[in-house]
Amino acid sequence: MEQHRDYESELRQAGVRLTKPRKVILKIIGESEDHPDAMAIFRRAVKIDASISLATVYRTMKLLEELGAVHRHSFEGGPARFENADGEHHDHLIDLDTGKVIEFHSETLEKLQEQIADELGYDIEHHRLELYGRKRR
Amino acid sequence: MEQHRDYESELRQAGVRLTKPRKVILKIIGESEDHPDAMAIFRRAVKIDASISLATVYRTMKLLEELGAVHRHSFEGGPARFENADGEHHDHLIDLDTGKVIEFHSETLEKLQEQIADELGYDIEHHRLELYGRKRR
DNA sequence: ACCCTTGTTGCAAACGATTTGCATTTGCAT
DNA sequence: ATGCAAATGCAAATCGTTTGCAACAAGGGT
Ligand SMILES: [Mn+2]
Ligand SMILES: [Mn+2]
Ligand SMILES: [Zn+2]
Ligand SMILES: [Zn+2]
């Protein structure tokens, strides 16, 4: 049983209106276990409220990203994909055969990146680490 | 004094025709020290041969990428950028204030990625590591 | 409960990057 | 030099995403 962030309170607190489409989208990304793209979110949203538009999905995702409620990923090839910003930081391994996205986290790796940036005189704001591979057999 | 790959021989060997536009583009990416996008390559190409089209730049970059002669990067925000596949593997740190692209390489980091993929039962085909940061001061 | 203001929506058109169909040109093997 | 497939330039098409605008609705004040 997962503990989800209360996005509705966060939105309200950010001073934006809690509209019907937003509630629907919020619910969808709140309970998504995968990394859906805008079209996938749109399709799921339409099932709940047929009047929602794709433009609103895009606008909402941008808003949520700016509020830090979701993360946007741009994996090779496809369109941008999203995931809620719950849980701790992780990176992704993409299975080139199946397209499956596997999450992983390595504190050593994170520290090493910090160290490299530090040696170059930089502070990391964020990073992107994606491994593309195939199942060993 | 750098030693550059002989792209023309490689193309010929790959069975593709060595056309005028291709020679021009090959020369451009062969001597580029930066990470130009298609439009930048196009602008440089037009100076050498005014009849070259942007479509041909795109087609040629795709061809060169498939031949393994260039690498395509999709940094945050902008269009795809290219660099010749000479020299050894490296990753990139993007200065968020200036847009400057800094190259770095860490064998430890590379090994660690291999190890992580291995633990997940995968062989890495390629990866993407980009650090986005600002100069420490 | 009813206004009123202003943010938000749906729609369609615009967008930026990249790809593609097609008629014409060109490389290059013969 | 000739012939033919491959490559080109151009314009139109595509894809993912953004935006202008008129209609709509959230939610604070009455
Ligand atoms: Mn994830
Ligand atoms: Mn580079
Ligand atoms: Zn990470
Ligand atoms: Zn690397």
Side-chain angles (χ1 to χ4, degrees):
Chain A
M1 197 107 294
E2 288 267 327
Q3 186 74 333
H4 292 283
R5 261 163 78 180
D6 184 357
Y7 290 117
E8 302 209 353
S9 305
E10 283 187 40
L11 280 214
R12 183 166 247 103
Q13 203 161 342
V16 305
R17 290 183 184 173
L18 203 43
T19 66
K20 197 172 165 194
R22 284 182 182 159
K23 283 181 192 166
V24 171
I25 293 169
L26 243 13
K27 177 169 163 52
I28 290 169
I29 66 141
E31 52 194 37
S32 290
E33 293 300 323
D34 53 347
H35 301 79
D37 60 31
M39 183 53 71
I41 294 169
F42 173 63
R43 283 189 301 260
R44 296 175 199 182
V46 162
K47 286 190 208 159
I48 302 173
D49 176 350
S51 74
I52 287 175
S53 76
L54 182 54
T56 294
V57 172
Y58 276 111
R59 280 191 279 237
T60 303
M61 295 324 289
K62 171 171 281 188
L63 173 69
L64 294 178
E65 191 190 7
E66 281 160 3
L67 295 180
V70 308
H71 289 144
R72 172 191 305 260
H73 302 295
S74 298
F75 300 139
E76 278 185 8
R81 299 169 64 167
F82 305 89
E83 74 179 317
N84 62 8
D86 282 18
E88 61 181 56
H89 169 77
H90 59 264
D91 297 296
H92 302 91
L93 184 160
I94 291 87
D95 186 314
L96 289 167
D97 295 315
T98 67
K100 188 179 170 196
V101 176
I102 297 158
E103 305 184 330
F104 66 86
H105 178 77
S106 161
E107 204 47 58
T108 316
L109 196 35
E110 300 292 324
K111 285 289 195 316
L112 197 42
Q113 294 177 49
E114 292 286 353
Q115 190 192 313
I116 289 167
D118 186 69
E119 282 166 12
L120 292 168
Y122 278 81
D123 289 324
I124 297 179
E125 181 121 322
H126 61 281
H127 68 271
R128 174 195 263 179
L129 171 57
E130 292 152 22
L131 308 182
Y132 294 85
R134 342 191 90 96
K135 203 167 262 167
R136 183 184 356 98
R137 36 168 304 125
Chain B
M1 196 109 291
E2 289 267 327
Q3 186 74 331
H4 291 283
R5 263 163 79 180
D6 184 356
Y7 291 116
E8 302 209 352
S9 307
E10 284 188 39
L11 279 213
R12 184 167 246 103
Q13 203 161 344
V16 305
R17 290 183 184 173
L18 203 42
T19 65
K20 196 172 168 192
R22 283 182 182 159
K23 283 182 192 164
V24 170
I25 293 169
L26 244 12
K27 178 170 163 53
I28 290 170
I29 66 143
E31 53 193 38
S32 290
E33 294 299 322
D34 52 346
H35 301 79
D37 60 30
M39 183 53 71
I41 293 169
F42 173 64
R43 283 190 301 260
R44 295 175 199 182
V46 163
K47 286 190 207 158
I48 301 173
D49 175 350
S51 73
I52 286 174
S53 76
L54 181 55
T56 293
V57 172
Y58 276 111
R59 279 190 279 238
T60 302
M61 296 323 289
K62 172 172 282 189
L63 173 69
L64 294 178
E65 190 189 8
E66 281 159 2
L67 295 180
V70 308
H71 289 144
R72 174 192 303 260
H73 302 294
S74 298
F75 300 139
E76 279 184 7
R81 299 169 64 165
F82 306 89
E83 74 179 315
N84 63 10
D86 282 19
E88 61 182 59
H89 169 78
H90 59 264
D91 298 296
H92 301 92
L93 186 160
I94 291 87
D95 186 315
L96 288 167
D97 294 315
T98 68
K100 189 178 170 197
V101 176
I102 297 158
E103 304 183 331
F104 65 86
H105 177 76
S106 160
E107 204 47 56
T108 315
L109 196 35
E110 300 292 326
K111 285 290 195 315
L112 197 41
Q113 293 177 49
E114 293 286 353
Q115 190 193 314
I116 289 167
D118 186 69
E119 282 166 13
L120 293 168
Y122 278 81
D123 289 324
I124 297 178
E125 181 121 323
H126 62 281
H127 68 271
R128 175 195 261 179
L129 172 57
E130 293 152 22
L131 309 181
Y132 294 84
R134 341 191 91 96
K135 202 167 262 166
R136 181 184 359 95
R137 39 170 301 124

